[in-house]
Amino acid sequence: MIYTAIMGHGTVGSGVAEILINKRKMISKQIQNDIEVKYILDLRDFNNLPYSDKFTKDFGMIINDPDISIVVEVMGGVTFAYDYVKQCLTAGKSVVTSNKELVAEKGAELIKIAKEKNVNFLFEASVGGGIPILRPLVQCLAANSINEITGILNGTTNFILNKMIVDNMDFDSALNLAKEKGFAERNPAADIEGHDACRKICILASLSFGRHVYPEQVKTEGITQVTLDDVDYADKFNCVIKLIGQAKRLKDGKITATVRPTVVSRECMLSNVDGVFNAITVNGDATGDVMFYGKGAGKMPTASAVVADVMDCAKHIDARKYLFWEDGYDGYVTDNTEDDIKLYVYAKSNDFDALINSFNSIFGADTVNIKNSYNNELVFITGFGKENDLINKINSLNADEVKIMHTLF
Ligand code: HSE
């Protein structure tokens, strides 16, 4: 018999409990061992559930119970989660988590403890919700050196942007809908300001490139500045706006990592990833591009990934799964301004003629552009160039207001 405990009974935790309890027979058959949820840790009362007897408010019950060999952490946040997970691993219990903040900030340390204690620390659900991505990355793509990872990593922002694009819905209404559907974080600022996607690109980059990438090393920008006008202009260029996370390996062994709203050509596959769906393209030196697609948030998709990890732990209770990266260091993540890129530029000036004249002399009249003299707005996509050169040119425009977004063609 394998006994588990679930720490947290929120959106994901309740999904995990439901699957583990309702599908106990099927799961036990697959892992060839009976599995039982013994405790559910939560400070709130849940008296009307068929499994109410399993609730405890006392972490001591879990950590001091030698029967418990697998603990699921789905509380979120770092403070308590870090303390409890560290204690569980140190006590020789395997841990499964969906907590991207925890893994992105403390992953290297927790993996090290798991290795020393010969237990598992698995976190498939921390990236891409229900999409299998971490396991394929370390197992199926193991023969590759990974060059680049590019993806839509946050379901809430993709849902919001999609609502703005397709239904012309304003930002706040779309965010409220995402909250109602259980996609958003408890504090949705983590979604809309890009921190959630940042944590996920940290985990992907750490696994792919072998060293811990910390959130503060990633240049991160959310979607709060994206307006319906930007969405409209992007559409006129046959593009859509997506929050894109990207990490690349450079020739000197360092890496770049960014999260930012990006103007994506409709010819690019990522432009078709709508609603709460996520998609991640991994470029390996042997495979070329491989794409992973599925629901990136929500109760059951995320719970599905958590339970699969629990089952994997149960099947490997005495044999650790290899999932590892080393500590990072200052300067490991660096700016890459050497690639040839195109930028999307929105410029506005009270002196529209002066803006157009400066644009014509700096960029040349043949750049693809939209002139909206009614609003004194000029929007264009630059030709290919180095980022610093393009930004210097943009700064020379005779404009009162400028907004720049990266592009993906
Ligand atoms: N808030 C997250 C998202 C949940 O919207 O992607 C899944 O990690």
Side-chain angles (χ1 to χ4, degrees):
M1 171 75 88
I2 290 179
Y3 290 102
T4 66
I6 303 170
M7 302 195 292
H9 194 261
T11 306
V12 180
S14 57
V16 172
E18 282 167 31
I19 298 179
L20 280 174
I21 293 167
N22 298 339
K23 294 191 167 179
R24 178 174 172 178
K25 250 193 182 158
M26 183 206 91
I27 291 170
S28 297
K29 198 170 164 195
Q30 281 199 35
I31 62 172
Q32 309 230 316
N33 206 334
D34 197 9
I35 187 162
E36 184 181 328
V37 177
K38 193 164 177 185
Y39 306 109
I40 302 175
L41 179 73
D42 204 295
L43 292 177
R44 295 163 295 178
D45 291 316
F46 295 90
N47 297 325
N48 298 322
L49 293 172
Y51 50 88
S52 293
D53 57 317
K54 297 184 186 294
F55 280 88
T56 176
K57 295 183 177 24
D58 179 10
F59 172 67
M61 302 273 288
I62 296 169
I63 193 72
N64 295 320
D65 187 337
D67 281 353
I68 298 288
S69 53
I70 304 170
V71 179
V72 175
E73 185 280 304
V74 276
M75 301 184 296
V78 168
T79 323
F80 290 108
Y82 172 56
D83 180 27
Y84 291 177
V85 166
K86 201 168 160 180
Q87 286 194 54
C88 288
L89 293 172
T90 308
K93 301 177 191 300
S94 287
V95 173
V96 171
T97 184
S98 61
N99 187 337
K100 46 255 155 146
E101 193 175 356
L102 177 70
V103 182
E105 287 186 19
K106 306 287 184 187
E109 182 191 346
L110 295 171
I111 288 170
K112 211 164 156 190
I113 301 173
K115 197 178 174 194
E116 281 161 16
K117 295 290 171 183
N118 198 33
V119 292
N120 284 302
F121 178 54
L122 301 182
F123 39 87
E124 181 64 61
S126 65
V127 180
I131 309 174
I133 169 69
L134 303 187
R135 198 169 274 99
L137 202 56
V138 292
Q139 288 183 355
C140 315
L141 297 177
N144 289 263
S145 291
I146 306 298
N147 299 315
E148 187 179 322
I149 307 152
T150 305
I152 293 171
L153 301 170
N154 181 270
T156 300
T157 45
N158 205 49
F159 178 85
I160 294 172
L161 289 169
N162 200 224
K163 284 281 166 204
M164 289 170 78
I165 293 165
V166 177
D167 299 337
N168 232 25
M169 193 180 273
D170 65 79
F171 187 98
D172 290 337
S173 312
L175 173 59
N176 284 335
L177 203 53
K179 283 194 219 163
E180 272 169 35
K181 288 181 176 285
F183 302 153
E185 297 299 296
R186 211 175 316 150
N187 175 6
D191 295 296
I192 61 178
E193 287 171 10
H195 305 303
D196 180 77
C198 163
R199 290 164 189 151
K200 291 167 180 166
I201 201 71
C202 287
I203 297 169
L204 288 168
S206 302
L207 261 187
S208 303
F209 306 132
R211 279 197 183 277
H212 198 124
V213 176
Y214 295 93
E216 56 275 17
Q217 295 178 304
V218 179
K219 240 189 203 176
T220 300
E221 192 190 327
I223 61 162
T224 47
Q225 304 303 317
V226 176
T227 61
L228 276 175
D229 285 346
D230 290 320
V231 167
D232 270 350
Y233 279 127
D235 182 55
K236 293 194 172 83
F237 290 115
N238 200 27
C239 294
V240 289
I241 301 177
K242 297 282 184 194
L243 185 68
I244 300 289
Q246 191 168 56
K248 284 187 197 182
R249 188 202 294 273
L250 303 177
K251 285 196 193 93
D252 60 4
K254 293 185 176 180
I255 69 150
T256 62
T258 52
V259 170
R260 55 196 168 203
T262 303
V263 174
V264 181
S265 160
R266 283 196 199 273
E267 284 174 20
C268 200
M269 276 164 81
L270 288 177
S271 72
N272 295 314
V273 176
D274 289 337
V276 74
F277 281 82
N278 285 190
I280 304 154
T281 306
V282 178
N283 181 275
D285 62 347
T287 57
D289 281 346
V290 181
M291 196 169 189
F292 300 87
Y293 172 82
K295 280 192 180 154
K299 174 174 166 169
M300 290 322 239
T302 313
S304 143
V306 172
V307 174
D309 270 355
V310 172
M311 292 168 71
D312 214 6
C313 280
K315 284 195 253 180
H316 297 91
I317 209 84
D318 296 317
R320 230 190 122 252
K321 303 273 295 180
Y322 187 79
L323 201 62
F324 187 71
W325 63 72
E326 293 176 61
D327 281 337
Y329 59 86
D330 279 350
Y332 172 54
V333 183
T334 168
D335 276 350
N336 174 24
T337 48
E338 291 312 306
D339 283 351
D340 278 325
I341 59 164
K342 288 181 174 190
L343 294 174
Y344 162 100
V345 184
Y346 164 98
K348 187 170 180 160
S349 170
N350 284 333
D351 188 347
F352 192 62
D353 289 341
L355 172 60
I356 296 299
N357 286 339
S358 65
F359 166 73
N360 285 341
S361 68
I362 297 166
F363 285 96
D366 56 348
T367 300
V368 186
N369 64 72
I370 299 162
K371 297 184 183 81
N372 182 347
S373 56
Y374 180 71
N375 285 335
N376 289 338
E377 291 170 340
L378 166 72
V379 183
F380 63 98
I381 292 180
T382 67
F384 278 110
K386 305 276 182 250
E387 183 169 351
N388 287 344
D389 295 342
L390 293 175
I391 290 194
N392 283 340
K393 284 181 170 183
I394 294 163
N395 286 340
S396 309
L397 286 172
N398 207 327
D400 302 323
E401 195 187 323
V402 169
K403 187 192 286 187
I404 300 170
M405 278 192 259
H406 280 70
T407 62
L408 205 58
F409 279 90

